Amino acid sequence: MEIISEQACFGGTQGFYSHLSSVTGTTMRFAVYQPAQARGMKVPVLFYLAGLTCTEETATIKAGAQRLASEFGIMLVMPDTSPRGVGLPREEDDWDFGTGAGFYLDAVKEPWADSYRMYSYIRDELRLLINEKFNTDPDKTGIFGHSMGGHGALTIALKNPDIYKSVSAFAPISSPMQCPWGEKAFTGYLGTDKASWVDYDASELVKNGHRTSHILIDQGKADQFLEEQLKPEIFEAACKEAGQPLTCRLHDGYDHSYYFIQTFMEDHIRHHVSILQKS
């Protein structure tokens, strides 16, 4: 693991790191914020998954989470959104597929299958690396994210409740099987057999019996992607039918931007803290 840069930040330490991933076969980058409490004790850790076109820097710079993480003694981990520079055909052609658009799944379709394995990278390799190299409490791990990252957080948490004790999302792609972004990504990475898509659709996972802790979702009503791409009503209906605890809040005037995320970040950090303190 290479330290690219590190600096003091809000009473803790913020750094950017890289490592050669055996899962993706590429050099992956991630950011970590370590609160001051981590100098003397193991602390809870939150993984934040960013959205389309984003990198490990996006939430680090824009989300405004470090002050809150410092206050509550939470470590933040912010990974990149895909492998980079693999050199695959079409990898750089579109903003919503390929580079910056890994969709937190394990691709099975060539030529993506060898490197675009973000589900295994996040759940296994990166998580274990963080627990090995930093002063974290593995039993107090949570996950959250925005848009494509919200989709990733929901699906990863629903499939791994023994690992991720808390979960939340900002404007997640709630039913990717029923939106253009998801259909494009799933076809490209997984193929045309829609039966294989179900494993990466949060709404379908809930319908099929997967459960996690109480989920918090915040969504802006002025979000330009709300009706066509995000579809929170599908996920909300699935949770209600299945008895999965969910608080889904819709807010007038808010769009898909990080100003929206900044506004409700404190609520999300408090949501995770309240659950992780009990785990």
Side-chain angles (χ1 to χ4, degrees), residues 74-90:
I74 299 285
M75 188 173 297
L76 300 173
V77 179
M78 292 149 285
D80 203 350
T81 53
S82 77
R84 294 186 184 265
V86 183
L88 300 177
R90 297 174 51 210

Side-chain angles (χ1 to χ4, degrees), residues 40-106:
M41 60 182 289
K42 293 184 178 298
V43 297
V45 57
L46 281 180
F47 288 81
Y48 178 92
L49 308 183
L52 290 165
T53 75
C54 294
T55 73
E56 73 284 352
E57 293 185 335
T58 307
T60 307
I61 296 170
K62 295 182 178 181
Q66 291 93 331
R67 175 184 61 81
L68 298 161
S70 176
E71 178 181 347
F72 291 106
I74 299 285
M75 188 173 297
L76 300 173
V77 179
M78 292 149 285
D80 203 350
T81 53
S82 77
R84 294 186 184 265
V86 183
L88 300 177
R90 297 174 51 210
E91 188 178 24
E92 306 291 341
D93 289 357
D94 298 317
W95 65 274
D96 56 356
F97 184 81
T99 298
F103 267 82
Y104 304 102
L105 53 75
D106 283 350

Side-chain angles (χ1 to χ4, degrees), residues 29-188:
R29 290 173 56 120
F30 60 93
V32 176
Y33 173 74
Q34 300 183 74
Q37 294 91 328
R39 299 184 188 126
M41 60 182 289
K42 293 184 178 298
V43 297
V45 57
L46 281 180
F47 288 81
Y48 178 92
L49 308 183
L52 290 165
T53 75
C54 294
T55 73
E56 73 284 352
E57 293 185 335
T58 307
T60 307
I61 296 170
K62 295 182 178 181
Q66 291 93 331
R67 175 184 61 81
L68 298 161
S70 176
E71 178 181 347
F72 291 106
I74 299 285
M75 188 173 297
L76 300 173
V77 179
M78 292 149 285
D80 203 350
T81 53
S82 77
R84 294 186 184 265
V86 183
L88 300 177
R90 297 174 51 210
E91 188 178 24
E92 306 291 341
D93 289 357
D94 298 317
W95 65 274
D96 56 356
F97 184 81
T99 298
F103 267 82
Y104 304 102
L105 53 75
D106 283 350
V108 297
K109 189 175 178 181
E110 298 298 339
W112 311 96
D114 288 340
S115 53
Y116 276 69
R117 303 180 62 220
M118 290 299 292
Y119 173 78
S120 291
Y121 172 70
I122 296 295
R123 186 195 66 177
D124 299 327
E125 186 175 45
L126 180 61
R127 179 177 60 87
L128 295 176
L129 178 67
I130 294 298
N131 289 336
E132 176 187 351
K133 300 294 185 181
F134 298 91
N135 203 17
T136 62
D137 184 344
D139 293 327
K140 297 182 183 298
T141 300
I143 191 166
F144 65 148
H146 172 229
S147 194
M148 177 185 73
H151 140 76
L154 292 175
T155 56
I156 291 171
L158 283 164
K159 290 192 287 187
N160 302 279
D162 56 325
I163 296 174
Y164 302 94
K165 305 301 173 59
S166 62
V167 58
S168 70
F170 299 95
I173 303 173
S174 298
S175 184
M177 290 182 66
Q178 300 186 55
C179 76
W181 280 342
E183 290 173 354
K184 180 177 182 177
F186 287 5
T187 300

Side-chain angles (χ1 to χ4, degrees), residues 108-109 183 185-194 196-197:
V108 297
K109 189 175 178 181
E183 290 173 354
F186 287 5
T187 300
Y189 295 133
L190 302 175
T192 57
D193 181 4
K194 292 189 176 182
S196 67
W197 296 10

